[in-house]
Every structure is written in C-alpha cells, then in structure tokens.
Amino acid sequence: MSLWTLVPRLIFGDYPEEDDDREDEDAKASENDHCCSQFVGTLLLHKAPVLERFHLNRVSGCSASEIDLWIRIAVDRFVRDLKIRFFPKYGIIRLPSTLFRCATLETLELRKVVISEVPSQVSFQSLKTFRLLFVKYADKESFVRLISDCPVLEDLVVETCHDDNVVTFTINVPSLEKFSIRNTLQDLETENDVFVVHYHSLKQLTIVDYFGELKLFGNNTPQLVEANLLSVSCHAKVLESFSRLKGISLCLPEEVQYPTGIVLSQLVFLKICSCESNWMNMLMSVLQHSPKLKVLKLALNHSVTEDRKVFWTQPSCVPQCLLYHLETFKWRDYDGTDEVEKEMAIYILKNASRLVTATIYYPDLFEWERKLQMSRGSRSCKLTMG
C-alpha cells in the first residue's frame, strides 16, 4: 500500500494556496480542468480513517457530482478542516446534506460558491471557524440557517459580493469571539447592505472596505476589547458602541466625525491610518477622549492622492493621555516634507511627558532628528529614527 493513501491532509489544486488571489495564476489554472476526473479515481484509493484537512482549490472545471462525492468522502472520514474554493469563476454546487450535520468539522471555508439550497436543519456542533467569502445564497434565510446552529463558533468572516441575494445579514451567535466584515473596493453596489450584529462574547470586530450600514446590539460588555475599522462607511456609526474598547485601529472616510460625548475610557492602544486629509483632527479627537491611552501608532496603509492637503487644529488644552499615560509612540511611513506633519510630531513629543520610546521612520535624518530630540517633553524617552 502506498504511503500517500494514509496521509491525513489532502489539498487538491493547481497551485499553492498562498497564490490563490493572483489573476495570472487563475488563468493558468483554467487550462488544467481535466485533472478533476483523475482526482476522483485517486481519492477513492485513499484509506486514511481520519481526514484532518481536505482543501479543494480552484475547482471550477469540476462537476457538481464530483464535488458532491469528494465532500461525502471527507465527511465519512471525519473531516475537521474543509475548504471549497472556486477560481476564477463562481461554481454552482449542491452541498450534500451530510455536510450540514458534520459533527467533526472545526473549520469550513467556502469561496466563490453559489449555494443553491440549505436544509432547514443545520447543525455544526464542532465548528469554530467559518469563512463565507464571495458566497451567493438562494435567499437571506439561507445565510441565517448556515450560522444558526453553531454552538461553539468563535471566528466568523463574511465577505460580501454583488448579487449575493442578501440585503440584511443578521449575526446572532452567542459563542462568537471574532467577527470580520469584508468587501472589495470594486464592489460598491453593496453600500445598501445592512449587517445586524448581536454581540454576546465578541472580543474582536474587524470591518474592512465596507460601505453599508452596521447595527450593533449588546450590553456594551467588556468582552469586546479590540476593533479594526478600515475604510468604513459613515453609516456604520460604530464608535458610539465602543466606549469600553481597549484597542482600536482606524481608517475612516473624511466625512466621518468623532461622535459627540463618547469617551473611550478603557482605550490603551490606538492605531490610525494617515491616508485621509483630516486624519490629524480625527487623531486629536480620539486622544482628547482616551484618557488612559498608552500606545499610539501612526501608519499609511493606503495610497494618497497627489493633491491631498493634511490639516489639523491644535487643541486648546493638551489631551490627558499625553500628559500622564502615553508610553509608546511609533510613526511609520513618515514623509517629513509637510510642515503640518512636522508640527504634529513636535506637538506629540513635546507634550508626552511620560513617553518611554518613540520611533519615527523618516528617510532624511540629520537636522530634523536633532530638532526632534530637542523637542522631547520626556527626557527619559528614547527616540529612534529609522
């Protein structure tokens, strides 16, 4: 008996998984559709009693019956990690009913899949990680049924797409600890989407390139400690729900204003993207309402337009966190040519009297480094230019 027939991990695809988003690889893969029928016969020879991992990457050239057979075999072998990824086009498949009651499944990822039918009873008793990426559903009830009975689900990722047949995504999973909403900048039609999130045990929320509406329902419990809000619509209004956050990463459109009266009383970590023209004013607003902030990081995560003009208004009083709590300051992708940015760097270094370490990545040191060294409000602060 060949050793491969007993291996517990099987990955079927035309290229490595880490390359699955490359368009040139997608085109190359479309030339190898004949491999599907060969793999069916090969899989029938596999004898491992348990499949820890079974991934189907870029299976656009495979028939629904072939995929059905593979999934049935995986379920019969007590699969724990299952991925079905179509490239580059969507695939219409009917997932076997046994999959929706697979008691051993711990990780499930569906990418570019059209799900034509979801049974009325779905039970993923062991599922902890669920990724629904560019999935098209029969209707909005199909999405709800997919995640309705996942008693130990901890990590959910939903990446929306055009014509997915769902306008309102309702998330109400008591065990959920991490939830991510993603979209593509090319798919702006999803700006009418609505995510209704009931958070119970949620610890981390990530929203990336999402332009729809977000409604959060919960008791503002201290479990939710970290949020990553990157290119989020002004309709989301998420900061109002996050008064007990301990960490937050922000990149908000220019029209988004800091909500009046919201104090981030527990915030100790803040990271802000500097791609928008008004990012400095957003930073000052957060600093003024984050009295316990200890770590501040600035970074340029997105490209900027040539005519971007940054601006800020120096506050009448120094934020409390600068005077008494800020210990770490890091500024990546610092250009240093804009006088406004220089003013901001000097302002922070001058007023952060408890600063321990400051790192500014600046291409041209010399006189500018000497000026910053002289501007430190904390003489014990170690300033590094890189």
Side-chain angles (χ1 to χ4, degrees):
M1 179 182 296
S2 300
L3 290 178
W4 78 266
T5 62
L6 297 176
V7 295
R9 300 179 181 89
L10 292 179
I11 298 176
F12 171 60
D14 296 311
Y15 51 86
E17 291 189 326
E18 58 268 24
D19 294 330
D20 58 13
D21 287 324
R22 291 172 54 186
E23 294 295 332
D24 56 337
E25 293 294 341
D26 284 345
K28 184 187 299 182
S30 64
E31 300 174 359
N32 298 322
D33 294 339
H34 66 277
C35 296
C36 296
S37 58
Q38 292 179 345
F39 183 69
V40 171
T42 303
L43 183 60
L44 293 175
L45 299 176
H46 193 262
K47 303 299 181 182
V50 174
L51 269 179
E52 296 178 5
R53 178 179 302 168
F54 187 59
H55 294 181
L56 304 174
N57 295 320
R58 207 229 36 99
V59 288
S60 298
C62 306
S63 68
S65 60
E66 289 170 332
I67 296 175
D68 181 282
L69 176 60
W70 297 346
I71 296 175
R72 289 179 184 274
I73 293 175
V75 171
D76 290 342
R77 306 284 175 81
F78 311 104
V79 65
R80 297 173 185 169
D81 178 355
L82 175 64
K83 292 183 181 180
I84 304 174
R85 298 170 164 185
F86 280 79
F87 301 95
K89 299 178 181 179
Y90 279 87
I92 300 177
I93 63 173
R94 180 176 181 178
L95 299 173
S97 59
T98 53
L99 173 63
F100 297 101
R101 296 187 298 274
C102 183
T104 60
L105 198 59
E106 297 178 1
T107 299
L108 176 59
E109 178 178 320
L110 303 176
R111 189 183 196 277
K112 283 197 172 183
V113 169
V114 179
I115 302 178
S116 58
E117 183 179 352
V118 177
S120 57
Q121 297 295 324
V122 177
S123 180
F124 291 123
Q125 295 299 311
S126 303
L127 192 64
K128 293 184 177 181
T129 301
F130 201 178
R131 299 186 180 94
L132 295 164
L133 312 179
F134 304 101
V135 173
K136 296 186 178 183
Y137 312 88
D139 47 44
K140 64 179 182 180
E141 288 77 16
S142 297
F143 173 79
V144 174
R145 288 199 298 272
L146 274 175
I147 65 172
S148 60
D149 195 358
C150 301
V152 297
L153 185 63
E154 298 177 355
D155 188 355
L156 175 64
V157 179
V158 178
E159 191 153 358
T160 61
C161 63
H162 184 49
D163 290 336
D164 54 21
N165 295 319
V166 181
V167 175
T168 301
F169 294 83
T170 301
I171 314 295
N172 193 355
V173 182
S175 61
L176 197 62
E177 297 182 0
K178 297 173 61 178
F179 177 48
S180 300
I181 303 172
R182 301 175 185 169
N183 188 24
T184 57
L185 290 173
Q186 296 81 9
D187 211 359
L188 299 182
E189 294 88 344
T190 57
E191 61 185 0
N192 295 321
D193 285 351
V194 178
F195 271 85
V196 179
V197 182
H198 299 261
Y199 60 94
H200 307 269
S201 305
L202 199 62
K203 296 180 179 178
Q204 183 183 92
L205 174 64
T206 300
I207 308 174
V208 180
D209 298 332
Y210 175 65
F211 299 92
E213 185 176 356
L214 177 67
K215 297 181 180 180
L216 297 173
F217 296 94
N219 298 320
N220 202 14
T221 54
Q223 282 92 338
L224 184 58
V225 296
E226 182 179 345
N228 304 293
L229 312 177
L230 309 177
S231 298
V232 180
S233 166
C234 59
H235 300 297
K237 297 182 179 180
V238 290
L239 290 177
E240 290 88 335
S241 303
F242 292 160
S243 62
R244 295 192 179 184
L245 278 178
K246 292 185 178 180
I248 188 169
S249 297
L250 290 177
C251 180
L252 302 179
E254 208 165 303
E255 62 270 17
V256 176
Q257 302 295 321
Y258 189 88
T260 304
I262 300 300
V263 177
L264 303 175
S265 60
Q266 305 300 315
L267 196 70
V268 294
F269 173 87
L270 171 65
K271 181 178 180 180
I272 284 190
C273 177
S274 59
C275 68
E276 295 289 346
S277 298
N278 70 333
W279 73 269
M280 291 185 180
N281 280 333
M282 175 60 73
L283 170 61
M284 283 295 110
S285 295
V286 179
L287 292 181
Q288 287 177 314
H289 295 86
S290 308
K292 297 181 180 180
L293 190 71
K294 292 185 177 181
V295 179
L296 172 60
K297 294 186 178 182
L298 310 177
L300 183 62
N301 297 323
H302 304 93
S303 59
V304 297
T305 59
E306 293 183 0
D307 58 348
R308 184 193 69 148
K309 296 293 183 181
V310 295
F311 59 91
W312 72 298
T313 302
Q314 185 171 314
S316 57
C317 58
V318 179
Q320 183 177 339
C321 63
L322 292 184
L323 293 174
Y324 303 110
H325 296 285
L326 192 68
E327 298 176 354
T328 301
F329 173 49
K330 181 179 292 186
W331 193 339
R332 291 188 56 192
D333 310 301
Y334 177 75
D335 182 83
T337 59
D338 194 300
E339 290 299 322
V340 179
E341 291 187 349
K342 290 182 179 180
E343 291 176 8
M344 170 69 76
I346 292 174
Y347 178 84
I348 293 176
L349 289 174
K350 180 180 178 180
N351 292 289
S353 57
R354 302 294 179 88
L355 204 59
V356 177
T357 60
T359 304
I360 299 179
Y361 297 89
Y362 180 62
D364 189 10
L365 309 180
F366 305 115
E367 185 64 24
W368 175 232
E369 180 179 7
R370 188 183 69 84
K371 187 175 183 179
L372 286 177
Q373 295 283 7
M374 296 294 293
S375 301
R376 289 174 299 159
S378 170
R379 295 305 171 189
S380 62
C381 171
K382 179 182 178 181
L383 175 63
T384 303
M385 305 291 289

